[in-house]
């Protein structure tokens, strides 16, 4: 966690003035529910104690001046000339400004300093955290009267238009809307949501980062999405009311898809069953049954690996390795697939021992470092 004082001090050094507001917006994990978002299903994220910090103050001209601590880099542009740029990091901020201006927001020039401790490239949504921190900070700075859900939607559109990533709403929604000690059950069809207590007791959430990102990810994502849409079309011939896999049951897939295309059937069944696992996980949390939650995580990984086929040998190895320990209740790959992290439900007192045992074995097998990330569910975007 980065101290507010450090952010304040660095803003003073960089911009030779006082920040008027400091905002913290967290990264996120998803407990269960992968590849359900673009099928109008459910996801179960929560924010974590790793965040992006933004400090802002108004200027008396029309210039927007940015500084990113991670890159030790300035960027400057006139407010009236906002456009996507070649350098990557400013686009997440500029995209938010662009969306605010499209909504008629009256902005002036400002200085913005950004720093953070969300591990980059681990699938913890540092980009969404930056978008939401920016949106929230400008909302306060210019008194724009935006609702939290608006800030999440603006962040998503910024990612689509300026970063060129056609992401779902989960990352931004979790960053802005999370509540400490709870998971957020989000309905990706209508954005309705509810909070379920996440009481871990003697257990903790440990992420294990494979440090691998296979190039398969984007083409596989497009193929899976197409398979899901094809399955819905086959069902729709018999059930016109079916507009997404959210409206489809396993029985419908058995009757109308299985005999036509086994692969499409398997991919669609995974998504339908993943929504069921998510609901079972929520019930387990309400009952305080962490063992049942862990079973759903292991089962979700089997589905992602063998049915949806978005895992990889590194992810499968990590899940198989921890499965033998009674102190690990559950584990699965987290995110789109082909790399990134596994999420593990581990006895708190066993975490360090597990990391010490697993790290050399993984590194010897794959020739890659293994990064362990301990996370604590936390509040969403807030003014410090």
């Amino acid at each position: 966690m980065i101290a507010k004082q450090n952010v304040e001090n660095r803003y003073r050094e960089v911009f030779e003035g006082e920040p008027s507001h400091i905002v913290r917006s967290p990264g996120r994990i998803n407990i269960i529910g992968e590849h359900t978002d673009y099928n109008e299903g459910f996801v179960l994220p929560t924010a974590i104690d790793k965040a992006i910090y933004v400090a802002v103050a108004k200027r008396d001209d029309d210039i927007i001046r940015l500084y990113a601590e991670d890159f030790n880099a300035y960027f400057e542009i006139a407010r009236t000339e906002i456009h996507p740029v070649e350098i990557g990091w400013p686009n997440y901020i500029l995209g938010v400004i662009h969306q605010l201006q499209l909504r008629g927001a009256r902005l002036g020039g400002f200085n913005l300093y950004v720093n953070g401790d969300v591990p980059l490239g681990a699938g913890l949504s540092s980009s969404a955290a930056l978008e939401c921190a920016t949106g929230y900070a400008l909302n306060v700075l210019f008194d724009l009267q935006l609702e939290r859900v608006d800030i999440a939607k603006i962040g998503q559109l910024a990612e689509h238009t300026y970063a060129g990533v056609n992401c779902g709403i989960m990352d931004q929604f979790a960053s802005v809307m999370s509540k400490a000690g709870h998971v957020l059950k989000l309905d990706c069809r209508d954005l309705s949501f509810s909070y379920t207590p996440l009481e871990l007791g003697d257990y903790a959430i440990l992420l294990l980062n494979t440090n691998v990102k296979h190039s398969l990810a984007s083409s596989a994502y497009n193929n899976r999405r197409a398979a899901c849409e094809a399955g819905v079309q086959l069902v729709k011939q018999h059930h016109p009311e079916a507009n997404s896999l959210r409206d489809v049951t396993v029985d419908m897939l058995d009757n109308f898809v299985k005999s036509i295309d086994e692969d499409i059937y398997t991919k669609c069944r995974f998504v339908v069953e993943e929504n069921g696992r998510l609901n079972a996980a929520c019930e387990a949390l309400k009952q305080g049954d962490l063992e049942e939650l862990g079973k759903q995580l292991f089962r979700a990984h089997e589905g992602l690996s063998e049915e949806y086929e978005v895992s990889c040998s590194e992810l499968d190895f990590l899940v198989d390795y921890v499965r033998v320990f009674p102190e690990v209740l559950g584990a699965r790959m987290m995110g789109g697939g082909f790399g990134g992290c596994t999420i593990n439900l581990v006895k708190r007192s066993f975490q360090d021992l597990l990391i010490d045992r697993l790290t050399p074995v993984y590194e010897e097998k794959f020739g890659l470092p293994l990064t362990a990330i301990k996370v604590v569910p936390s509040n969403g975007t807030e003014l410090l």
Side-chain angles (χ1 to χ4, degrees):
M1 197 167 279
I2 296 172
K4 180 188 177 191
Q5 192 65 51
N6 292 357
V7 177
E8 270 178 7
N9 291 343
R10 282 296 289 142
Y11 181 96
R12 289 188 193 109
E13 290 167 13
V14 167
F15 292 115
E16 299 177 345
E18 293 293 319
S20 50
H21 303 288
I22 296 174
V23 169
R24 169 194 169 279
S25 198
R28 65 97 193 98
I29 53 174
N30 187 27
I31 303 295
I32 195 167
E34 298 297 356
H35 295 275
T36 47
D37 57 348
Y38 54 84
N39 289 297
E40 298 192 341
F42 296 97
V43 288
L44 197 67
T46 183
I48 56 172
D49 57 334
K50 312 276 188 282
I52 298 292
Y53 297 79
V54 156
V56 290
K58 289 181 181 177
R59 296 172 59 93
D60 52 15
D61 57 21
D62 242 7
I63 298 298
I64 290 166
R65 195 149 199 244
L66 313 176
Y67 181 83
E69 190 70 61
D70 272 355
F71 300 102
N72 186 25
Y74 285 95
F75 179 83
E76 192 173 292
I77 194 168
R79 181 187 58 78
T80 51
E81 294 171 13
I82 297 293
H83 61 274
V85 295
E86 300 253 325
I87 324 160
W89 67 268
N91 283 322
Y92 298 100
I93 299 166
L94 299 176
V96 170
I97 299 165
H98 174 66
Q99 289 300 322
L100 290 172
Q101 290 181 336
L102 285 178
R103 288 169 175 246
R106 297 170 70 88
L107 306 178
F110 60 89
N111 295 326
L112 185 150
Y113 167 86
V114 58
N115 197 358
D117 60 1
V118 183
L120 301 177
L124 302 180
S125 299
S126 54
S127 58
L130 175 54
E131 291 148 5
C132 295
T134 301
Y136 199 97
L138 296 181
N139 185 40
V140 179
L141 186 64
F142 294 105
D143 191 25
L144 303 178
Q145 307 284 316
L146 293 171
E147 299 289 331
R148 281 178 175 266
V149 173
D150 294 326
I151 292 169
K153 289 177 177 174
I154 284 165
Q156 182 194 22
L157 288 169
E159 188 124 355
H160 289 183
T161 54
Y162 270 55
V165 179
N166 196 24
C167 60
I169 190 71
M170 173 177 73
D171 298 349
Q172 291 83 1
F173 209 92
S175 190
V176 179
M177 305 296 293
S178 287
K179 198 161 77 169
H182 292 75
V183 287
L184 183 72
K185 183 184 179 185
L186 173 64
D187 184 335
C188 296
R189 170 173 278 175
D190 60 12
L191 298 191
S192 60
F193 63 95
S194 59
Y195 295 102
T196 301
L198 180 64
E199 291 166 358
L200 295 174
D202 295 336
Y203 288 83
I205 294 170
L206 175 67
L207 307 180
L208 296 170
N209 188 1
T210 61
N211 287 302
V212 70
K213 193 69 188 167
H214 289 300
S215 56
L216 288 165
S218 55
S219 60
Y221 173 85
N222 293 335
N223 293 343
R224 299 302 177 278
R225 203 162 175 158
C228 293
E229 287 162 6
V232 172
Q233 289 309 310
L234 290 170
V235 171
K236 200 175 177 69
Q237 293 169 21
H238 307 272
H239 290 272
E241 73 283 4
N243 293 314
S244 70
L245 285 177
R246 173 70 172 277
D247 305 316
V248 172
T249 63
V250 173
D251 279 350
M252 290 177 192
L253 295 173
D254 286 342
N255 291 333
F256 309 120
V257 181
K258 191 173 187 180
S259 62
I260 294 172
D261 192 309
E262 188 77 34
D263 185 58
I264 288 175
Y265 166 78
T266 304
K267 301 293 183 284
C268 291
R269 192 189 64 200
F270 164 79
V271 173
V272 174
E273 290 181 343
E274 183 77 346
N275 279 314
R277 283 188 284 273
L278 185 143
N279 287 322
C282 282
E283 281 309 305
L285 283 172
K286 287 173 188 168
Q287 306 300 323
D289 188 347
L290 294 180
E291 287 192 10
E292 180 58 30
L293 173 63
K295 285 177 189 167
Q296 296 298 337
L297 296 185
F298 277 134
R299 177 65 194 95
H301 184 78
E302 287 163 17
L304 286 158
S305 179
E306 295 161 25
E307 296 158 20
Y308 216 62
E309 298 179 287
V310 289
S311 188
C312 61
S313 53
E314 295 90 347
L315 289 165
D316 289 344
F317 174 81
L318 292 177
V319 173
D320 289 342
Y321 186 93
V322 303
R323 197 186 282 272
V324 300
F325 298 105
E327 298 90 345
V328 181
L329 295 184
R332 68 173 189 85
M333 58 155 276
M334 186 180 76
F338 305 103
C341 293
T342 62
I343 178 170
N344 302 264
L345 190 56
V346 186
K347 198 144 207 176
R348 207 176 294 277
S349 57
F350 185 66
Q351 286 184 100
D352 290 334
L353 186 58
L354 177 64
I355 295 163
D356 289 346
R357 283 189 186 182
L358 178 49
T359 302
V361 181
Y362 177 84
E363 294 183 355
E364 186 181 348
K365 183 170 178 63
F366 294 105
L368 288 165
L370 180 69
T371 312
I373 307 165
K374 296 176 180 177
V375 295
V376 179
S378 79
N379 265 334
T381 314
E382 55 197 2
L383 200 57
L384 297 183

